[in-house]
Amino acid sequence: MSVYYLRSIIYEIAQEIKKLIEKNSITNNKRIFLYGLDIYSFAMKTILANDGFKIDGYLSNDMEQIMTYRRQAKASLRYLNSTRDMIHISDIEEKLVPFDSSIVVLSASKNCPISRMTDLNYQVNMHIFQVFDWEQNSFAETMSDKKRMNIKDIQSVAKEILCKVDAFCLENDIRYWVCGGTLLGTIRHKGFIPWDDDVDIFMPWDDYKRFISEFSKKGMYQLISPENVDRRDFYGLFSKILDDKTMVVENEPLVRFIHPVAIDVFPLVGVPDKEEERRLFFRRYRELMQQVTEDFYANNGDYNVYNKWYPAQKEFLEKYHFAESNFVGVLGTGYGERDYASASVYDATIRLPFEDIKVNVPIGYQEYLDNLYGKDWMELPPEEKRKSHHGMEAYWL
């Protein structure tokens, strides 16, 4: 098993559709319907369009969802050139009755009501095609004889990595600070947020580059970054330090990540001084990422597009020097343009307890946390929100 790799669900769907085209199961004289109103059906529409096919509409088993989409489509009519631009959404019987042998239904849904269609005389692998197998899970098979890690196990491994990174940075005079949920946990809980299962740190760009170069030589843990890995396997704009005694799968809507337990290392870069220019800077970066996403879909979910786009992303990282900027931040996180603060936040470092070790915290942590979480970040969230944002299964190797 590779130490870190991705399964692109969109790419696998595209490959299945390609096979159906090659077998003439999908042709221009067939009426093509997509089951579901989700990112997978919308991705299938793009994949088919890339190969010159148009769809006849979407099918759903949820009448409430159909009515909602129809109301939205009607409200959007004034923005469309013609009714041909509308997305047509129908209940199954509306389009599949009476039986029509020219109809092809494609589904990537986990819950496609195939029996409802077969009752109408449509046959699986002749009229109905499931283009992604959600039951197939080679990772689970590989891990079948391994012990599953609980959240305390994951936290323990991540803390051990952090401890080694902390010692290395202190010894080599490399600046770093805990950030994101790890910083919030340090201040509010003196350790992990109880339901959090990862560790985040960041470093000024120059320190970050030196850390990547020098830490990799020590061989304590494997470090991967956009600089030293094929981005078909790792498309993040930051680095990870991995513990190869473990293995994790993270299930997200478009991708399945397979990797060891890791901590994230983000580059901290300069951003413009003026508020309007700063907003423009973050907006242009969002637009760049939108271009990457569009290219990803245009190439049927092939992550190789991230190799092509990394130089343009790196330009943003190097545009404003950390030491010469009055404001600094991180690009590519879920916090967007909230992920910046005054450079004075990092004028000094304090050492604070994190579980049974100590870590680096920026002197102006309150401004940083206010930006990310609002001024009430010391208050615990409601019970229902106290859960990890990762869909993670972790195992001891």
Side-chain angles (χ1 to χ4, degrees):
M1 181 179 289
S2 301
V3 76
Y4 196 111
Y5 70 92
L6 308 175
R7 277 188 69 194
S8 168
I9 294 172
I10 301 302
Y11 180 78
E12 294 187 21
I13 289 172
Q15 294 306 299
E16 287 302 310
I17 289 176
K18 182 180 178 181
K19 291 176 186 175
L20 294 176
I21 293 170
E22 290 172 348
K23 292 192 296 186
N24 289 322
S25 298
I26 297 174
T27 63
N28 281 316
N29 61 356
K30 297 284 180 74
R31 299 179 63 203
I32 304 171
F33 290 91
L34 307 179
Y35 177 81
L37 298 172
D38 52 30
I39 53 175
Y40 309 112
S41 59
F42 301 144
M44 286 192 288
K45 181 178 185 293
T46 302
I47 291 164
L48 288 162
N50 290 343
D51 286 310
F53 293 93
K54 292 183 178 180
I55 68 166
D56 285 72
Y58 295 91
L59 302 177
S60 176
N61 200 32
D62 184 334
M63 186 52 70
E64 183 178 343
Q65 190 180 46
I66 291 171
M67 297 306 295
T68 299
Y69 271 80
R70 283 178 175 172
R71 284 194 298 270
Q72 292 172 346
K74 187 175 181 180
S76 301
L77 261 178
R78 55 185 165 172
Y79 302 110
L80 303 176
N81 292 327
S82 75
T83 55
R84 290 177 302 175
D85 297 320
M86 288 183 63
I87 297 175
H88 296 282
I89 303 160
S90 307
D91 181 63
I92 288 172
E93 275 79 5
E94 282 185 75
K95 294 298 178 182
L96 301 192
V97 176
F99 173 78
D100 183 345
S101 62
S102 70
I103 284 179
V104 171
V105 178
L106 306 179
S107 170
S109 171
K110 297 178 184 179
N111 302 303
C112 181
I114 290 176
S115 62
R116 190 172 164 192
M117 300 182 207
T118 55
D119 287 347
L120 301 174
N121 295 321
Y122 295 90
Q123 297 182 41
V124 174
N125 296 329
M126 180 178 294
H127 309 104
I128 311 162
F129 299 92
Q130 187 73 24
V131 296
F132 188 80
D133 183 1
W134 292 97
E135 298 302 319
Q136 190 277 330
N137 189 343
S138 57
F139 178 83
E141 295 166 9
T142 305
M143 295 293 118
S144 61
D145 62 340
K146 308 299 181 186
K147 182 181 178 183
R148 185 157 177 182
M149 301 172 73
N150 60 36
I151 190 167
K152 290 294 186 184
D153 293 331
I154 297 168
Q155 289 175 343
S156 176
V157 170
K159 187 200 71 177
E160 184 62 27
I161 301 172
L162 176 60
C163 184
K164 293 287 184 7
V165 169
D166 174 76
F168 178 85
C169 290
L170 293 177
E171 181 183 340
N172 292 276
D173 196 26
I174 292 174
R175 291 173 294 173
Y176 92 88
W177 303 277
V178 292
C179 63
T182 308
L183 177 53
L184 176 59
T186 303
I187 305 302
R188 194 171 69 190
H189 303 273
K190 295 182 170 53
F192 284 99
I193 297 172
W195 52 91
D196 197 10
D197 53 17
D198 68 350
V199 165
D200 300 318
I201 66 174
F202 52 21
M203 304 173 178
W205 179 245
D206 287 344
D207 296 72
Y208 173 84
K209 289 191 294 183
R210 188 157 67 90
F211 175 79
I212 290 171
S213 173
E214 296 179 11
F215 188 82
S216 300
K217 299 172 187 174
K218 290 294 182 178
M220 290 184 287
Y221 294 100
Q222 182 171 353
L223 184 149
I224 61 170
S225 76
E227 303 284 348
N228 65 12
V229 73
D230 187 332
R231 299 193 80 209
R232 284 175 293 188
D233 294 326
F234 176 74
Y235 65 69
L237 196 61
F238 51 91
S239 297
K240 283 182 177 282
I241 304 166
L242 313 168
D243 185 308
D244 61 9
K245 300 187 299 298
T246 63
M247 194 57 71
V248 171
V249 61
E250 287 184 64
N251 291 307
E252 296 195 1
L254 297 180
V255 63
R256 189 170 281 167
F257 297 92
I258 313 289
H259 59 84
V261 171
I263 74 170
D264 296 332
V265 186
F266 296 92
L268 190 56
V269 301
V271 299
D273 288 349
K274 294 181 179 178
E275 184 178 353
E276 185 58 39
E277 291 178 6
R278 195 161 52 245
R279 281 202 298 265
L280 183 62
F281 178 77
F282 279 102
R283 189 173 76 225
R284 283 176 174 164
Y285 184 75
R286 285 198 307 272
E287 289 170 353
L288 171 64
M289 290 310 299
Q290 183 61 37
Q291 287 179 279
V292 177
T293 301
E294 289 171 2
D295 201 11
F296 171 74
Y297 279 102
N299 284 276
N300 290 342
D302 187 346
Y303 280 109
N304 194 44
V305 301
Y306 285 87
N307 285 318
K308 181 178 78 174
W309 285 98
Y310 181 59
Q313 290 177 295
K314 193 175 178 184
E315 276 187 35
F316 276 83
L317 296 175
E318 297 181 326
K319 190 172 179 64
Y320 297 96
H321 198 278
F322 178 91
E324 298 169 0
S325 300
N326 292 316
F327 295 92
V328 296
V330 179
L331 292 172
T333 71
Y335 300 111
E337 60 188 74
R338 301 202 314 275
D339 208 338
Y340 84 94
S342 307
S344 60
V345 165
Y346 309 98
D347 280 349
T349 297
I350 53 178
R351 300 279 289 172
L352 291 180
F354 183 87
E355 303 295 335
D356 58 350
I357 65 174
K358 286 193 172 182
V359 295
N360 284 358
V361 169
I363 190 72
Y365 64 81
Q366 181 163 345
E367 178 188 332
Y368 170 84
L369 291 173
D370 284 352
N371 286 351
L372 254 61
Y373 302 113
K375 296 185 183 297
D376 60 349
W377 48 264
M378 280 298 287
E379 298 177 17
L380 290 174
E383 193 83 35
E384 66 272 11
K385 292 189 176 180
R386 298 178 196 177
K387 55 187 176 182
S388 169
H389 59 277
H390 301 108
M392 180 187 289
E393 292 177 27
Y395 296 85
W396 292 105
L397 297 182

